[in-house]
Amino acid sequence: MTLVSRPVRCPVVELRQYTLHPGRRDDLVDLFERELLEPQEAAGMTLLGQFRDLDHPDRFVWLRGFDDMTSRARALAEFYDGPVWRAHRDRANATMVDSDDVLLLRPTSPSGGFPVPPPRRASGEPAPVRSTVVATVWSLDGPLDDAPAEHLEQVARPLLAGAGVEPVASLRTEHAANTFPALPVRAGEEVLVSLVRHDADGGAERLARLESSARWREEVLTPLAAASARPVQRLRLAPTPRSSLR
């Protein structure tokens, strides 16, 4: 299978995992999608997706992107120093136990970047969940050269597509200095992140069959496991009503 290059959308990406107070996730989702989504984009960010973690009822996961590290600093300063965040930050922060689990990432290649999404749903528009997004995070042992990233791109993505599971993005650590220190990111780590999407009609079963196959174990899991420093993290994510990635 030949991988088709496309212009990189959001060369800088944050993967943000928030631990919330018990029972407060829906409160944050409602506030986020009603009051905080468009103002962030107006400041120059791209809201790539928001999700409920299907395995952790008090975890909210979201992705946002930027054109580069300089524009990231400018956009974050405009939003977090602006009137919208001042008006809603106390309510938002009251839902959170921890908001510092943040990976700063970049696509592994042009074909590993995020696709252009369909138009976002309007607030209040019915939004049945028809897909699950699965994020897999490999924490690697030592400095990352191009081989594991190229392997994930050239081998795993075609296997996923052949199994009827949509590869969404392949990401790796962005090691540029954090240009907005008021929001910390996890530093000193090497990670690879794969995001895939499957539908509710047999998609989970197709993914499970692929991942239990000999070819997947030999061509994907074994090489990545050899480079991994910690157990793999798997996030099964349900898009929120206004998530662009859904």
Side-chain angles (χ1 to χ4, degrees), residues 94-234:
T95 68
M96 302 176 194
V97 175
D98 176 70
S99 60
D100 292 346
D101 187 348
V102 181
L103 289 170
L104 191 61
L105 306 165
R106 60 183 173 88
T108 57
S109 71
S111 59
F114 286 85
V116 176
R120 180 179 288 116
R121 290 186 175 97
S123 184
E125 182 180 349
V129 174
R130 297 194 178 95
S131 66
T132 298
V133 173
V134 180
T136 305
V137 182
W138 287 274
S139 296
L140 302 182
D141 184 12
L144 176 64
D145 59 27
D146 289 337
E150 291 175 355
H151 181 84
L152 187 67
E153 187 73 10
Q154 294 175 5
V155 177
R157 286 173 63 90
L159 288 176
L160 287 162
V165 178
E166 181 186 357
V168 174
S170 300
L171 309 166
R172 62 189 295 182
T173 301
E174 170 57 71
H175 286 296
N178 184 3
T179 51
F180 194 75
L183 294 183
V185 300
R186 288 161 54 180
E189 300 186 39
E190 298 281 357
V191 302
L192 282 173
V193 180
S194 170
L195 290 107
V196 304
R197 173 170 50 191
H198 62 71
D199 58 39
D201 186 16
E205 291 78 9
R206 291 194 300 273
L207 181 59
R209 284 197 300 271
L210 171 65
E211 292 182 336
S212 64
S213 69
R215 187 176 181 189
W216 183 266
R217 290 195 303 271
E218 293 169 3
E219 297 188 21
V220 177
L221 294 185
T222 298
L224 288 173
S228 295
R230 295 196 297 272
V232 173
Q233 182 185 30
R234 171 65 65 90

Side-chain angles (χ1 to χ4, degrees), residues 9-10 13-17 29 32-33 37 40-41 45-52 60-65 114-115 117 120 133 168 195 197 237-246:
R9 180 169 176 255
C10 300
V13 176
E14 295 176 350
L15 171 59
R16 310 185 66 87
Q17 300 183 53
V29 169
F32 191 100
E33 299 207 330
L37 201 159
Q40 289 185 76
E41 294 196 321
M45 313 175 209
T46 299
L47 275 290
L48 294 163
Q50 307 89 242
F51 312 94
R52 293 177 172 91
F60 174 66
V61 179
W62 59 298
L63 293 146
R64 65 181 170 190
F114 286 85
R120 180 179 288 116
V133 173
V168 174
L195 290 107
R197 173 170 50 191
L237 306 172
T240 59
R242 303 193 66 210
S243 177
S244 289
L245 179 55
R246 60 182 188 267

